[in-house]
């Protein structure tokens, strides 16, 4: 069985919605899945000033926080992050920065990795965010599996990002189009399929 960890950061729920869709799709593809959020870095008083942020934090309080054990366990890592000035959110980046020990031990080599994102506006830095994440995965020796244009869903007018599923929130909480959810579902399914094929190949070698 393929192990999948969906590791994400979400402030007002858009990435959380996509992460749930990815996790459900991976499970349907036959994988064992862990849905994990990364630790919040923003001060409580800052979160409280944004009702949607505070509400989402309360609603997802029971979701386990990601650990290095989850990363080591996973054959597939699906990372979700909102875009912050064309870059991944600091919360996700901080977690990724703790993986140095696993990297040094060679435990991240050949893991299948794919990422998804959300911006408040179109052309808000979606591609640059995903490419920035990929820089880390090159160092890991991971196998990056993008959605590409490998499925008709990618040709939907609301999709079309071959780097990874992306949504435009228009600054509304939990505002992900059905087409975007279909895209991240395909992306998760594709990652599981590639990882499973690799596992069979490695076993036969």
């Amino acid at each position: 069985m393929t192990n999948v960890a969906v590791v994400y950061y979400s402030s007002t729920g858009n990435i959380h919605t996509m992460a749930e869709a990815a996790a459900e799709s991976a499970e349907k593809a036959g994988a064992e899945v862990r849905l994990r959020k990364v630790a919040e870095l923003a001060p409580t008083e800052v979160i409280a000033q944004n009702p949607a942020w505070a509400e989402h934090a309360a609603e997802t309080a029971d979701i386990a926080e990601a650990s290095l054990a989850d990363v080591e366990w996973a054959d597939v890592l699906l990372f979700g992050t909102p875009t912050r000035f064309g870059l991944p959110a600091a919360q996700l980046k901080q977690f990724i920065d703790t993986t140095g020990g696993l990297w040094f031990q060679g435990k991240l080599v050949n893991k299948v990795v794919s990422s998804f994102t959300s911006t408040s506006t179109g052309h808000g830095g979606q591609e640059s965010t995903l490419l920035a994440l990929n820089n880390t995965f090159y160092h890991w020796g991971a196998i990056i599996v993008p959605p590409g244009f490998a499925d008709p869903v990618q040709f939907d007018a609301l999709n079309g990002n071959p780097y990874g599923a992306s949504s435009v929130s228009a600054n509304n909480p939990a505002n992900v189009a059905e087409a975007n959810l279909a895209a991240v579902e395909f992306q998760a399914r594709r990652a599981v399929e590639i990882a499973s094929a690799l596992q069979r190949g490695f076993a036969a070698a």
Side-chain angles (χ1 to χ4, degrees), residues 1-7 23 26-27 30-36 65-79 95 99 102 106-112 140 192 195 199:
M1 178 177 286
T2 301
N3 296 333
V4 176
V6 182
V7 179
E27 286 182 343
E32 183 174 345
V33 179
R34 295 180 183 178
L35 178 66
R36 299 289 189 262
E65 288 189 357
S67 69
L68 293 179
D70 296 317
V71 175
E72 184 173 0
W73 167 85
D75 303 303
V76 175
L77 289 156
L78 301 174
F79 289 104
F95 175 73
T99 62
L102 293 177
K107 293 183 176 180
L108 302 177
V109 173
N110 291 338
K111 289 189 182 290
V112 168
W140 285 2
V192 171
Q199 288 173 328

Side-chain angles (χ1 to χ4, degrees), residues 32-178:
E32 183 174 345
V33 179
R34 295 180 183 178
L35 178 66
R36 299 289 189 262
K37 65 184 180 183
V38 296
E40 180 60 80
L41 302 179
T44 303
E45 57 271 22
V46 172
I47 297 173
Q49 293 173 9
N50 184 324
W53 195 353
E55 181 179 355
H56 180 67
E59 290 176 347
T60 58
D62 61 335
I63 295 179
E65 288 189 357
S67 69
L68 293 179
D70 296 317
V71 175
E72 184 173 0
W73 167 85
D75 303 303
V76 175
L77 289 156
L78 301 174
F79 289 104
T81 178
T83 288
R84 298 289 187 258
F85 301 111
L87 295 167
Q91 289 85 346
L92 182 66
K93 180 60 166 60
Q94 191 276 336
F95 175 73
I96 289 174
D97 284 348
T98 68
T99 62
L102 293 177
W103 164 80
F104 186 77
Q105 297 172 68
K107 293 183 176 180
L108 302 177
V109 173
N110 291 338
K111 289 189 182 290
V112 168
V113 184
S114 201
S115 305
F116 52 94
T117 191
S118 177
T119 54
S120 60
T121 63
H123 306 290
Q126 295 172 346
E127 290 90 346
S128 64
T129 295
L130 299 175
L131 289 169
L133 282 170
N134 285 350
N135 287 335
T136 297
F137 310 144
Y138 301 139
H139 285 261
W140 285 2
I143 299 169
I144 299 169
V145 176
F149 288 101
D151 187 90
V153 71
Q154 289 297 101
F155 293 91
D156 188 285
L158 293 177
N159 292 324
N161 186 346
Y163 304 99
S166 307
S167 76
V168 177
S169 70
N171 286 319
N172 293 318
N175 180 37
V176 183
E178 288 299 320

Side-chain angles (χ1 to χ4, degrees), residues 173-193:
N175 180 37
V176 183
E178 288 299 320
N180 300 150
L181 293 178
V184 78
E185 288 165 1
F186 163 67
Q187 184 174 349
R189 186 168 64 252
R190 174 170 158 79
V192 171
E193 291 171 352

